[in-house]
């Protein structure tokens, strides 16, 4: 006998996964918790598999639930694509592009300017952390994301744009600004600025602690443009990716700090792979120097 799974059951299942428990999932789906629980039970009965392991503290996916999750995400995504294709196309839906928050805003602005100059259609841009972008892609809230690429971390298609390193950024009139390279010990008496959202924050801290350098911090921020401005004003030095540029600062490589990051597009909708905004972002990244 064929088993038919109604879409609302998939929505309940995905809500529990994304929200972390049944009560928040019920609120998210605008139903009562007993209604949502009954729906999950109906889904498990249809699949003849237990999808969640329930305790008083939390809800976890079973092995069967983990396998089913990949298919449920794909079905929901394809369903939304089908709805979009059948909808009234008199008003074009904006292409939704997420951008990693630690990519320089000036670079994204340059790409947006080039895209608009080329007569591009409507787009929506969302700046977010790597974790937030991953969640937005999974929930079909983005068509693509310009973010870090980690091998095997994403089930979605990826396109590599390029890679870049990190350097110590300091004001142009800083005594060390003319160096070709600096050692951690050179910074022993320096004031630093902490980029609290940096993906290499723990590695950066370890680099200095292992060398006995414990600097004073003048600023802790999650705003990279603000960090760059304060570095340019001489308030401290900080480690930043190479894509951040300003006439007020210089980038000086650090000895023994060879970390690099690979950036590119993660595609929830492979149909936007050649979209003009993505091409403009790739071009701007390539021209960043």
């Amino acid at each position: 006998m064929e088993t038919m799974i109604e879409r609302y059951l998939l929505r309940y299942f995905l809500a529990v996964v994304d929200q972390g428990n049944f009560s928040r999932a019920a609120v998210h789906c605008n139903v009562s918790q007993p209604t949502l629980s009954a729906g999950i039970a109906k889904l498990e009965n249809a699949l003849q598999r237990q999808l969640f392991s329930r305790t008083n503290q939390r809800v976890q996916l079973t092995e069967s639930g983990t396998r089913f999750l990949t298919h449920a995400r794909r079905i929901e995504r394809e369903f939304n694509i089908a709805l979009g294709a059948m909808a009234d196309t008199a008003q074009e839906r904006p292409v939704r592009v997420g951008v990693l928050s630690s990519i320089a805003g000036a670079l994204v602005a340059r790409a947006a300017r080039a895209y608009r100059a080329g007569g591009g259609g409507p787009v929506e841009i969302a700046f977010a952390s790597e974790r937030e972008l991953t969640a937005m892609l999974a929930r079909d809230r983005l068509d693509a994301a310009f973010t870090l690429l980690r091998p095997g971390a994403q089930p979605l298609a990826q396109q590599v744009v390029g890679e870049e390193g990190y350097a110590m950024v300091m004001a142009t009139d800083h005594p060390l600004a003319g160096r070709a390279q600096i050692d951690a010990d050179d910074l022993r008496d320096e004031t630093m600025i902490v980029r609290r959202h940096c993906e290499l924050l723990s590695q950066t801290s370890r680099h200095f602690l292992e060398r006995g350098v414990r600097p004073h911090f003048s600023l802790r921020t999650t705003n990279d443009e603000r960090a760059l401005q304060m570095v340019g004003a001489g308030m401290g030095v900080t480690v930043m990716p190479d894509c951040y540029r300003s006439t007020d600062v210089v980038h000086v490589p650090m000895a023994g700090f060879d970390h690099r990051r690979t950036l590119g597009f993660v595609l929830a909708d492979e149909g936007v792979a050649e979209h003009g905004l993505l091409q403009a972002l790739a071009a701007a990244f390539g021209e960043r120097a």
Side-chain angles (χ1 to χ4, degrees), residues 234-269:
M235 287 295 295
V237 299
T238 192
V239 176
M240 298 191 85
D242 290 337
C243 64
Y244 282 91
R245 297 288 167 176
S246 167
T247 56
D248 297 327
V249 306
V250 295
H251 290 234
V252 183
M254 291 191 296
F257 196 85
D258 302 320
H259 297 283
R260 300 183 66 79
R261 67 178 185 174
T262 301
L263 294 172
F265 302 119
V266 179
L267 305 169
D269 178 3

Side-chain angles (χ1 to χ4, degrees), residues 91-131:
Q91 175 126 12
E92 184 181 355
R93 180 179 74 77
V95 172
R96 304 161 301 173
V97 179
V99 178
L100 184 68
S101 56
S102 65
I103 292 174
L107 183 153
V108 181
R110 186 160 65 250
R113 189 179 300 114
Y115 175 70
R116 289 191 63 212
V123 294
E124 294 177 359
I125 298 176
F127 288 90
S129 68
E130 181 183 7
R131 178 177 296 181

Side-chain angles (χ1 to χ4, degrees), residues 56-75:
N56 291 333
Q57 284 74 34
R58 58 182 179 175
V59 173
Q60 290 183 310
L61 285 169
T62 62
E63 183 178 347
S64 295
T66 300
R67 290 200 305 270
F68 183 66
L69 176 60
T70 301
H71 300 289
R73 296 274 194 217
R74 185 179 301 121
I75 292 167

Side-chain angles (χ1 to χ4, degrees), residues 30-276:
N30 198 29
V31 298
S32 68
Q33 186 170 335
T35 296
L36 183 132
S37 296
I40 295 297
K42 182 177 180 180
L43 178 61
E44 290 179 323
N45 184 60
L47 296 172
Q48 297 185 345
R49 295 288 188 279
Q50 182 179 348
L51 301 176
F52 295 105
S53 174
R54 304 161 177 82
T55 67
N56 291 333
Q57 284 74 34
R58 58 182 179 175
V59 173
Q60 290 183 310
L61 285 169
T62 62
E63 183 178 347
S64 295
T66 300
R67 290 200 305 270
F68 183 66
L69 176 60
T70 301
H71 300 289
R73 296 274 194 217
R74 185 179 301 121
I75 292 167
E76 181 68 8
R77 187 178 302 115
E78 292 296 330
F79 192 91
N80 288 329
I81 291 172
L83 286 179
M86 296 298 104
D88 181 7
T89 56
Q91 175 126 12
E92 184 181 355
R93 180 179 74 77
V95 172
R96 304 161 301 173
V97 179
V99 178
L100 184 68
S101 56
S102 65
I103 292 174
L107 183 153
V108 181
R110 186 160 65 250
R113 189 179 300 114
Y115 175 70
R116 289 191 63 212
V123 294
E124 294 177 359
I125 298 176
F127 288 90
S129 68
E130 181 183 7
R131 178 177 296 181
E132 290 168 337
L133 291 175
T134 298
M136 292 167 76
L137 287 164
R139 298 173 191 175
D140 197 36
R141 294 180 182 175
L142 293 175
D143 298 305
F146 187 30
T147 184
L148 294 175
L149 300 186
R150 302 182 188 273
Q154 277 281 357
L156 303 174
Q158 299 183 0
Q159 285 186 351
V160 176
V161 170
E163 65 173 41
E164 64 178 353
Y166 299 78
M168 184 60 69
V169 181
M170 59 190 66
T172 53
D173 59 355
H174 192 282
L176 299 175
R179 294 277 193 92
Q181 182 175 267
I182 55 176
D183 295 312
D185 197 58
D186 296 326
L187 303 166
R188 188 172 299 279
D189 299 322
E190 292 294 326
T191 298
M192 292 194 184
I193 291 172
V194 180
R195 298 170 52 248
R196 299 183 64 175
H197 62 297
C198 178
E199 59 270 6
L200 285 184
L201 184 58
S202 61
Q203 293 94 323
T204 303
S205 298
R206 190 181 310 117
H207 178 82
F208 289 107
L209 289 175
E210 288 176 348
R211 291 160 176 80
V213 178
R214 293 172 172 79
H216 168 70
F217 299 115
S218 63
L219 174 68
R220 293 173 172 85
T221 181
T222 58
N223 185 312
D224 279 327
E225 267 68 33
R226 188 168 296 141
L228 197 64
Q229 290 165 355
M230 293 302 100
V231 169
M235 287 295 295
V237 299
T238 192
V239 176
M240 298 191 85
D242 290 337
C243 64
Y244 282 91
R245 297 288 167 176
S246 167
T247 56
D248 297 327
V249 306
V250 295
H251 290 234
V252 183
M254 291 191 296
F257 196 85
D258 302 320
H259 297 283
R260 300 183 66 79
R261 67 178 185 174
T262 301
L263 294 172
F265 302 119
V266 179
L267 305 169
D269 178 3
E270 295 187 44
V272 303
E274 302 301 322
H275 189 270

